[in-house]
Every structure is written in C-alpha cells, then in structure tokens.
Amino acid sequence: MPGYGEADYSIKNNVIEAGINKKGAELISLVRIKDGRQYMWNGDAAYWNRVSPVLFPFVGKLNGQRYQHNGIWYEGIAQHAFARDMEFTLTDITEDTIWMKLGSSEETYKIYPFDFVFEIGYKLSGNLVKVMWKVHNNSQETMYFSVGAHPAFMCPGNSKEGCLLDLHTEAGSVESGTLSADGILGEETRVFPLKDGRLEAKESIFDRDALILDASGIKKVSMEDAEGKAYLSVLFDTPLLGIWSPAGKKAPFICIEPWYGRCDREGFTGSLEEREYGNKLEAGGVFEREYAIEIVV
C-alpha cells in the first residue's frame, strides 16, 4: 500500500526502531526489530494521509475558524493549526533519542501572536517510546495554547474486526461528546458500553467522527485482538482523550489521542483565554508533558 515512505531520521535500541520526519516532527514508523512488525499506520491517502501528527497550538477546530485575543480577531485558522505542517529543526540525536524544535516566525505571527519555541522529543527505552513536549513562552505576555497527540496504530490483524480497546477502568460505560457538522463540539453526548473495561472498536462508533472522552479516570489504553491479547498500549495523564478512525472507510487503524485541549463548543465567541481546556503559560515559562507508546514483545 502507498504511504509515507522512508523517514528523515531513525533511532533504535535492541527491541524497537522508530522513524521521524522533519515535517511536523512526526513519528511515522515504529517497528519491532525481532520480526519487523510495523505498529504505525502507513499514511495511505485513500484512508488518511497522516500517521502521527502533533497538534499545536490548537487541538481540533475553532468556532468559525477564528479566535479573539486582546481585542483582535484572527481568522481562517485551520483545524489543529500549523505545527503538523511545518518543518522542525533537528537539535539533538543519539542512537535512541531525538529532539527537534519549531520556533515562531513571521508566518506563525499572522495567525498566532506569541513568541514560542515548541520542542518534540522521542526516547526509546526497551519496548517503550516516550514522546516528550516542551512549550517555551518567549513572549512578554501570558500565552494560551493547546497541544495533543494524534497517533494512528495498525489494528491487530490489520482490521478493526474483533479489535478491542481496554480503557483500564472499572466503569461500565464511557460518555463521549459529539462533533457537529462543522467539526466543533455539539450539545449531544453518546454513551458507549464497556465490557470488563473494554470498548469494542466497531465501525459504527466512529460514524459521528471522533470520540471525545474525559480522561480523568483513564491513564492507559491497550489495543487487543478478539481474544483479549494486548499488543500495544498508550500511557498518558491528560484531561482529555480522543479515539478516532475515519467514518465509513473500514480503515485498518485506530488513533488513540491524549489531548491537553480540544475544539470549541458550538456558539463559543469568547476570547482565547476563555477557551475550555486551554493551557496558560506565563511569560518566560516552560510547559513540559509526555506520554508513551508501549508494544508487547
């Protein structure tokens, strides 16, 4: 199948090898060395032409694709904004670790008025990839932003048929927000049953776009086959979790997305600092967070 091709950079240890691209500092490959098994989606545009974009400085869509800050309206803001489509600069690489950065520029100032540096790092440890984010506010004012992950993982058997998502919770169900036709959060909620903490990854759960979950009681999601055997887990400590696969395409992958922030609600017309789940960073401050991807060996 067509896909992303060879990565710009590669890091590895004796268990796994990861490939990262300059564009978006995007993780595009995660291979188990002993048998060559690929865990990441391949970016085939027939389904979705990305693999693991990092979402910054917004997660999801803004109401009307615009926002207000200090009395100024910034218009035409694309979904998830710009970091995923910009080239990052390599700052450090060793055999098992890489760091890359993106800085503010005349291009970013047009739609996001803050002086920032955004660093993304990947570090391998045994069968685990640690994904690290550092947001530096070099402005003279408080900076407001969101940041999130959007990694797409191949399903066991390369099909969602029988695939389970273990949310590692004792709850009997989860409640999800529902996106409107404009891709922002509507008033409707959906409830999905869990069996022994597991969500069955049926095609129908994605027919209204992404699931948007309160992650306060969820710190780990494991992809399992129909027999309940885990082969990959995502570990995180975020307020929100997205789960997504493209509607109606029977795509062989699922995205498990830890988020610090989300899209606007329908009707929101407030200022940037009033956005729900937004992050606040004082002048000169640094926001550091991480999550991890763990494969079964």
Side-chain angles (χ1 to χ4, degrees):
M1 296 174 69
Y4 258 42
E6 187 175 350
D8 295 319
Y9 301 106
S10 179
I11 55 175
K12 66 179 180 179
N13 59 18
N14 62 347
V15 180
I16 50 180
E17 181 172 6
I20 299 97
N21 270 359
K22 296 175 184 177
K23 182 181 176 181
E26 184 175 2
L27 176 71
I28 67 162
S29 176
L30 179 59
V31 172
R32 186 167 63 186
I33 291 174
K34 72 177 183 181
D35 58 3
R37 180 167 194 171
Q38 174 66 259
Y39 289 83
M40 305 305 298
W41 167 239
N42 65 15
D44 181 354
Y47 297 90
W48 187 51
N49 65 345
R50 300 180 188 268
V51 178
S52 182
V54 181
L55 317 178
F56 174 88
F58 299 113
V59 173
K61 287 188 176 180
L62 304 175
N63 187 29
Q65 294 185 278
R66 65 202 294 254
Y67 71 92
Q68 179 188 171
H69 179 63
N70 286 343
I72 299 172
W73 282 98
Y74 295 84
E75 308 276 353
I77 311 302
Q79 180 176 356
H80 306 314
F82 51 76
R84 62 181 182 163
D85 291 319
M86 301 190 78
E87 187 165 307
F88 280 60
T89 301
L90 178 68
T91 57
D92 187 50
I93 187 168
T94 64
E95 185 175 16
D96 63 3
T97 305
I98 186 171
W99 279 97
M100 306 176 76
K101 72 175 182 180
L102 174 70
S104 49
S105 64
E106 291 304 315
E107 183 180 358
T108 66
Y109 290 141
K110 293 175 184 176
I111 58 173
Y112 188 66
F114 301 100
D115 185 2
F116 70 87
V117 172
F118 181 32
E119 296 184 87
I120 299 178
Y122 300 93
K123 181 177 177 59
L124 309 183
S125 178
N127 61 331
L128 182 144
V129 184
K130 185 185 294 185
V131 185
M132 303 165 286
W133 300 326
K134 295 182 183 179
V135 180
H136 302 257
N137 180 10
N138 295 336
S139 306
Q140 300 302 308
E141 62 172 314
T142 303
M143 175 177 161
Y144 301 91
F145 67 95
S146 299
V147 62
H150 201 322
F153 304 108
M154 293 298 296
C155 296
N158 296 338
S159 170
K160 286 199 288 288
E161 186 71 29
C163 180
L164 302 171
L165 298 175
D166 188 350
L167 306 185
H168 300 276
T169 175
E170 295 181 0
S173 63
V174 288
E175 184 177 283
S176 169
T178 301
L179 296 177
S180 70
D182 295 326
I184 55 178
L185 192 65
E187 294 298 321
E188 183 183 353
T189 59
R190 302 172 76 192
V191 177
F192 297 94
L194 302 178
K195 184 176 181 181
D196 298 325
R198 291 167 171 82
L199 174 68
E200 188 176 350
K202 299 177 181 178
E203 286 290 333
S204 61
I205 72 172
F206 302 111
D207 61 8
R208 301 285 298 276
D209 211 312
L211 279 63
I212 302 173
L213 309 181
D214 178 340
S216 57
I218 304 171
K219 305 301 179 188
K220 179 179 180 180
V221 176
S222 300
M223 294 183 72
E224 301 178 345
D225 62 21
E227 283 72 49
K229 181 181 179 182
Y231 91 119
L232 177 143
S233 296
V234 181
L235 303 92
F236 51 89
D237 187 9
T238 56
L240 295 160
L241 174 69
I243 300 175
W244 178 79
S245 192
K249 292 188 175 183
K250 295 186 177 180
F253 67 87
I254 296 173
C255 296
I256 301 170
E257 311 177 36
W259 294 341
Y260 293 93
R262 60 153 168 74
C263 62
D264 283 341
R265 285 189 180 274
E266 283 185 309
F268 176 74
T269 57
S271 61
L272 183 60
E273 55 266 35
E274 294 173 317
R275 295 189 71 237
E276 293 178 307
Y277 291 100
N279 300 287
K280 176 180 178 181
L281 187 60
E282 300 298 337
V286 182
F287 176 97
E288 296 187 57
R289 298 292 189 274
E290 63 184 49
Y291 76 98
I293 302 164
E294 182 180 44
I295 67 167
V296 174
V297 295

